[in-house]
Amino acid sequence: TTLRELRAVWEQQHGPGSVTGLAPSAAAAAVLAQSLDIPTENTAKWLFEQDRGTAGWQFRKDQLVIVDEASLAGTLAIDRLRGLIDDAGAKMVLVGDPAQMAAVDAGGALELVVSQMGAAAPTLNQVWRFRSEWEAAASLSLRVGRVDVLDEYEQPGRLLGGGHDSMLEAAFNSWARDESEGLHSILV
């Protein structure tokens, strides 16, 4: 929701097509593309094509580059992107949650930026992705490591327990059921 508004404001100022999205994974880039209806790419692919000098893979003046799921991006990749974007006269916006999963590469760039900015770091204060208020509040508690909130997930039957093999089978069967019903499901 916020990024759609950012895109609209930026494009009013700098013209249609002036916003590009990057993300550390192709899946995250695809979600960003669908959400904002902008061209997106995997950060590694962008840097690869940049190094090769491929036409259309350079940043340009007054371009806004949104790096989504920035906590998953490696610090060296973020720094390289920052340099290229600065050199082009463009602007980079890192979007993500520093409390979420970290990068596979040497990471922590987003967490470092947020910690250096302190209270000045822009932070969303509402959760929009849940239908029920209890779940939105519980997700924020989980985010900061409050394990006592797991009781709230157990009450409506959101938690399932059992032995290793039965849990593997239950997870797979749930994923398969979702997929057969046309839902997009992730099994981790």
Side-chain angles (χ1 to χ4, degrees):
T1 304
T2 303
L3 292 178
R4 275 194 299 273
E5 291 303 315
L6 174 61
R7 176 194 172 203
V9 169
W10 189 271
E11 287 188 341
Q12 270 183 342
Q13 181 83 25
H14 300 286
S18 58
V19 179
T20 299
L22 297 176
S25 72
V31 170
L32 184 62
Q34 183 179 15
S35 297
L36 300 184
D37 194 27
I38 60 172
T40 63
E41 190 52 75
N42 172 300
T43 53
K45 172 73 172 169
W46 187 281
L47 290 170
F48 174 79
E49 296 297 345
Q50 173 80 33
D51 289 345
R52 291 180 55 196
T54 306
W57 292 83
Q58 287 75 37
F59 298 113
R60 61 191 182 280
K61 184 172 175 29
D62 295 329
Q63 182 179 22
L64 176 64
V65 181
I66 298 170
V67 181
D68 198 17
E69 299 294 347
S71 66
L72 295 173
T75 299
L76 297 176
I78 291 287
D79 188 52
R80 253 194 88 219
L81 289 168
R82 181 206 48 80
L84 294 167
I85 290 166
D86 284 352
D87 290 348
K91 179 176 179 78
M92 177 170 68
V93 174
L94 298 177
V95 178
D97 184 349
Q100 285 184 334
M101 192 176 351
V104 174
D105 292 342
L110 181 64
E111 187 175 3
L112 177 64
V113 169
V114 170
S115 69
Q116 291 293 313
M117 291 183 73
T123 305
L124 297 178
N125 58 12
Q126 285 186 290
V127 179
W128 295 98
R129 64 177 61 169
F130 299 107
R131 291 190 181 120
S132 56
E133 286 184 36
W134 77 265
E135 196 169 11
S139 74
L140 293 175
S141 293
L142 279 178
R143 181 182 178 276
V144 296
R146 285 195 40 229
V147 295
D148 60 306
V149 77
L150 292 175
D151 293 339
E152 293 179 40
Y153 285 93
E154 195 161 29
Q155 291 170 0
R158 295 283 183 90
L159 299 180
L160 185 64
H164 180 267
D165 290 343
S166 66
M167 292 288 69
L168 284 177
E169 188 170 332
F172 176 79
N173 289 337
S174 293
W175 170 83
R177 182 180 59 250
D178 284 351
E179 290 289 320
S180 71
E181 293 174 5
L183 300 171
H184 295 288
S185 188
I186 297 174
L187 177 60
V188 178

